[in-house]
Amino acid sequence: MLSAIGRASVDELYQHVPRSLRERARIELSNGLTEWTVYRRLASLAAQNVSAADWSIYLGGGIYHHFIPAAVDAIISRAEFSTSYTPYQPEVSQGTLQALFEYQTLICQLTGMEVSNAAVYDGASAAAEAVLMVRRIQPASRRRVLISRALHPQYRAVIATYLKNLVDIRLEEIPFDGTGATDLAVLNERLDDRSMCVLVGYPNFFGVIEDLAPVKSACDRVGAQMISVTTEALALALLKPPGEFAVDIAVGEGQSLGVPMSLGGPAFGFFACQKKFVRHMPGRLVGETVDSEGRRGFVLTLATREQHIRREKATSNICTSQTLCALAATVYMSLLGKSGIRRIAEINLARAHGANRQLIGQGNFSGVFSGPFFNEFVLRGENLVQRVSRCAEEKIMPGVRLEQWYPELRDGLLICVTEMNEREEIDRLVRTIAA
Amino acid sequence: MEFPEGLKYSKEHEWVLVEGNTATIGITEYAQEELGDIVYVELPEVGEKIVKDDPFGAVESVKAVSDVYAPVSGTVLEINDLLPDNPETINDDSYGDGWMIRVELSDMDDLKDLMDDEEYAEYVAQQKDEDEDEDDEEDEEEEEDKEDKEDKDK
Amino acid sequence: MNERKSTDLSEPSQPRQSLQIAGPKLLFESNSAGRSAVIWPAEAAQGGESIPTALLRDDIAGFPELGELEVLRHFTRLSQRNFAIESQFYPLGSCTMKYNPKINEVVARLPGFAQIHPLAGAEWLQGALALLYDLEKMLAEITGMEQVSLQPAAGAQGELTGLMLIRACLADRGDPRRKIIVPDTAHGTNPASSALCGYDVIQISSNARGVIDAAAVAKVMDPSVAAIMITNPNTLGLFETNIETIAEVVHRQGGMVYLDGANLNALMGIAKPGHMGVDVLHLNLHKTFSTPHGGGGPGAGPVAVNAPLRDYLPVPRIIKNAARFEIVEDAPKSVGRVRSYFGNFGVLVRAYSYILSLGGDGLAEASRMALLNANYIRKKLETSYQIAYDEPCMHECIFTDRFQHRNGVSTLDIAKRLLDYGYHPPTIYFPLVVSGALMIEPTETETPETLDGFIEAMRAIAEEAKSDPELVKQAPHSTTVRRLDEARAARKPMLRWESNTPSEDG
C-alpha cells in the first residue's frame, strides 16, 4: 500500500505535525491484553459489585429492577441494529427507521400524547430540554419555572445546571405536603402571569401518584405550561396517562422498559408533547413517507430544527442519542403487549402494597406519606442504619435512604418492590429489617 | 423564467406589489427554484412590524432554511393562510397564490431602492452567469491538473 | 385486523396497487386480541383500591398483541433492511465506523455491570468505581490532559459541559464573556452547544489551505471572547497546523481553547491535545473507542481538562481514598450535574475493555493505520474525483462532485449509486465550506481488499457519470426502497401510526 501512495513509511504521513508534539505523544499505557485476559480482568471488577443477580434489592429512585425477556437482548445484539449509524441514508436504514417510528407510536400510546421524538439521553436531560422548549414557545415576559421538590433530586440538579447559563430564567421550588404530593396551596400562590411552566413527577420521587388535574387547572388559570416527569415508565401501564390530563409535555426515563439497570446508564429519556409544538421539539423525529414507486418508507424528518442545519438556532444540540436503548424498549413493549404490560404492572402494585402492609404491620416502621403509590413508598423507622446493615449481612438492599437529599426525612427509606421480588423474598426482607 | 411587470423586486429575491398604501410581498420564481421543494413557511403575526432589510420570516426546504428579508418597512395586515398547510404553493405559483404577507407601508421612500422587472431580470441573469463562470474556471484548472497528474502516473 | 388507511395521502400520485405497503407491516398492523409473549401467572390483585379511579387508565389502545415468535420475526426482518459495519464497509467521514469488538459486548453484559443499581452506595460498587477511575486516567494519558469526567452522554453533551466549565471559570474570575469563536468547518453541534450555553457565536473562515490562520483569530479575539472551539484534525481531515499559535493568541487575551475531539482517531500516539494549548476537550467513545453506534446511540462524550478547569468539573466525581473508591456528590465550584447517575456506564465499560485490549501501542498503531488507509483511498481516487484540498490528509479525505457535475450528476446521486454497489456512502454535504462534499473515513479496521473494492466501485460510478448519468441520478435501484420523498415527510409530518377504527382510539 505504501508504494501505491508513494511513501516509504507510515511516519511520513504525519511529518507535517509539529515535531514538538510528535516527540511527546507516546501513550504510556500497558500493552494490549488477550481477549481472555481482558475477560478475566473485567469479570474480577464485576465481581466486586453487588448485583441484583446475587442480592435481593428493593432499590428504585429512578432506576428499576424489572424482568427483561431474553428476546430483547437477542434483537438488540443483532449487528444490523447495533453497528449501524444514525439513519442518514434512509434507503439502507429502514430497519432502524421503522423501529423508531414504532417506538414513537408506543410512547404516544403509553403517555397518551400526540407526538413523541426518537428519544433523548435520559429522563433528567429530557426534563431540562422540556423547559428549554417551553422557553422557546412562551413569551419573554414569562421566565419563572416552578419545580416540585418531590421531583427526583438529580433531575432537579440537571435542570438547574442546564438553565444556569440562561440568565433570564428563574427556578423556584414548590414544597410537598403530608400526602407526599406537590403542595397545591403553595403552587397556586406562586403561579402568576410571569410563570413559564410547572414540573411535577408522575409518580414522583417518593413513589406517590399525584393528581395532575388540579396542577393542570392551576397552570391554565395563569397560562403556564405543564410538564409531567415520569421516572417509572411502567406505572403508565396502570395510571391515567399524562395526555389525558392535557399536559403540554410529558417526559421521563424509559429504563424500566426492557433496559438493564447498568449503574443508571445507558437507558433513554422519552419526550412527548402536543402536536402543535412539534416544530419546537428537540431530538430526532422519524416520519412516514413513500418512495419513488409508491412503497411506504420511513425517514428522519423536520431536520431543519436540528443542529446540523440550524446550528446556533437549533432546538437543541443533540446529535447521537440513545437509539439502541429505545429499540430495546420497543421490543420489550411488543413482547409484553397490551395485556402483558398491564399484568406486570399489576404484579408490581400487588407486591409493593403487600410488602408495605407487612412492614408496617410489624410495628417498627410507619408510613410517611398518605398519598397513593404504585411500586415505591417511603417508610420511617428507628435505627435505620443498623437495620440496613443487618440486611446487608443477609445480602438484602432494603431501600434508598433519603437523608442525602431530604434532611428532614433522615429516618426515611424509599422502598421499591417489583415483579422481581418473590413473595418468599419479601417475607425474608420483613423478617430481617423489621425485627 | 417569469418577471411580471408591475412588480418591484429586491436584491434578496423578494417581489412587491404596491397598491396605494399597501404592499403584498412574496419570493420570486428564481428564489423558489434555488430553494427546491418548500416544506414549511414561517410567517409573522398580523399586527407585527417588519423592518426593511431585516428578516421577517423563513422558508424551509428539506435540508435548508432561508431567511426572508423585508424589502420595505411596515405593519402586517394579512398573512396567506394557504401556506401553513400547503407550503408548496410558493413553488407552484410564487407570484400569485404563493404570496406571503400584505403590509401597510410606513415609508413610501423604501420603494425607491427596489428594482423594476427589467432590472431584476438582468440581475438574475448576472447571478447565473457568475455561477457558470466559476464553474468554467474551475473546470479549466482541473483539466490542467488532470493532465499533469496523468503525465506523472505514466 | 387493523388496516391502516392512508388518510394523509393528499398527493396526487397513484401508487401501484401491488406495491402499496409492500414493506413489512408495522407492529400495530397485525393484531390478535389477547396475545402476549410474556406469560406470568395472575396474582391476587391488591392495592388497586388505594388508587382513586380518576387516576387509573383503560388498557393501552393500539398496543401490539403478538406472540414471541411474531415479535422476533418482525424485528429480525427489520434488521435485514439495515446496512451495518458488520455487513458493509461504512466509510462515514468524521464518524469513525471501526469494528466494534464482541468481547466488549460480553463484558458489558456481566451481571456485575449490567444488574447493578446506581444508588446502592459506594461500598457495594467498588468494582464499578475502580473501572471508572481507571478509565478516567487512561483517557487523560491518551489526550495529555490532567483530569477527566465521564458523565456526558454523548459528544454534544460533552461540548455543552466543556463550555459550561469555561463559563464557570470565567465567572469565577469575575470576567464573564459573551462570545465563542467557531470556524466555518465546525460540526453543527459546536454553535448549537454555544447557544445553549448562552453564548453568541462568531464564525471565522478557514484559509485557502483549509486551516485556520492565527491572524484570522487575532482579528476577532478580544476580551469579550470566552473561547475558541477548534476541531483537530478539522472536519476536512486536515491537521490544524497553527493550533499552538492560535492558542497563544486566545490565551493572551484571557480566553480559553476548546477542542472538539471527534477526530481523535487521527491523533493517538501522534500528538496529544494537552500539549497543543487546549484547556478542555471532549471525546466520542462511540467513534474513537469502538463502542457501537446503535443506529444513533447510545454513545458517551467524556470531557478532559487541564489545571485551570479542574475545579469546575461536573459531579459526581470518583476519588480514591487509600485503597477505597468514594463518590463525591458535592464540590463547591463544580458546574453541577449534567446527567443522572454515572453517565452511560454500559458504554464506558466497552471503551475500557477496548483500551485494555489494544494498550498504548495498539492505540497508536490504530491511528497510524487509519492515516494509511485514508491516504491510500485519496491517492487512488484523485483522478476520478476532485480532491477538495491538495494538502496532506489525516484519517479522512474529502472529494467534491465537481467533475461529475458536468454531466449533471451530484454528490447525492453518487452516494445513492454506491448503495447499489453494496457500500454505505461516505458523509455527504458536510462540511458546508466544500460544495458537494464527499468525506471518506475508512478507519484502521479495513483490509486493503475492502478498500480496493470500494475504490473500484467509486471509479465505476465516475465512469457511469460520464457514460450513463441517468443511471446514477435514478439510483438506488436495488435497495429495499427507492429514493424516499423527504419533502412530503416534512410537509405533512406523520410521526406515528394511527388506527382508523374509532373503537380502537384511546
Side-chain angles (χ1 to χ4, degrees), chain C residues 232-247:
Chain C
N232 197 12
N234 61 29
T235 59
L236 300 168
L238 308 174
F239 189 83
E240 286 283 359
T241 36
N242 303 316
I243 188 166
E244 289 174 273
T245 324
I246 290 169

Side-chain angles (χ1 to χ4, degrees), chain A residues 136-322:
Chain A
R136 287 190 286 278
I137 297 168
Q138 292 277 47
S141 56
R142 290 180 178 276
R143 287 292 179 260
R144 298 171 70 183
V145 176
L146 291 85
I147 305 186
S148 168
R149 191 161 167 258
L151 180 61
H152 196 305
Q154 290 186 5
Y155 286 37
R156 283 184 280 127
V158 170
I159 294 170
T161 305
Y162 266 67
L163 296 184
K164 205 186 330 194
N165 309 297
L166 300 168
V167 292
D168 55 347
I169 300 249
R170 221 178 83 192
L171 284 180
E172 287 172 41
E173 232 165 49
I174 308 291
F176 51 88
D177 61 24
T179 69
T182 310
D183 191 322
L184 291 172
V186 177
L187 177 67
N188 274 293
E189 204 192 320
R190 302 263 192 90
L191 276 169
D192 64 18
D193 60 7
R194 283 172 302 153
S195 303
M196 194 173 98
C197 59
V198 173
L199 289 95
V200 299
Y202 183 71
N204 65 28
F205 186 67
F206 305 128
V208 169
I209 305 164
E210 304 201 23
D211 187 349
L212 297 184
V215 180
K216 175 66 176 158
S217 312
C219 287
D220 285 346
R221 199 173 41 82
V222 300
Q225 293 209 346
M226 183 167 162
I227 302 170
S228 70
V229 184
T230 300
T231 55
E232 170 49 301
L234 197 61
L236 298 179
L238 281 186
L239 299 182
K240 185 180 216 140
E244 284 182 35
F245 292 101
V247 308
D248 297 282
I249 308 177
V251 301
E253 175 61 53
Q255 178 268 324
S256 286
L257 304 171
V259 182
M261 293 189 289
S262 203
L263 204 69
F268 67 94
F270 64 83
F271 192 111
C273 68
Q274 295 190 13
K275 199 166 19 180
K276 61 186 174 188
F277 301 133
V278 72
R279 288 194 145 78
H280 298 283
M281 285 179 93
R284 310 281 188 193
L285 286 168
V286 176
E288 182 179 322
T289 185
V290 290
D291 75 357
S292 54
E293 289 176 358
R295 286 182 202 88
R296 176 172 68 190
F298 301 94
V299 292
L300 291 176
T301 191
L302 300 186
T304 45
R305 295 162 304 121
E306 298 188 67
Q307 46 76 27
H308 55 295
I309 293 176
R310 283 280 186 170
R311 298 173 76 88
E312 62 265 24
K313 299 202 181 114
T315 54
S316 171
N317 66 345
I318 197 167
C319 187
T320 294
S321 169
Q322 307 283 130

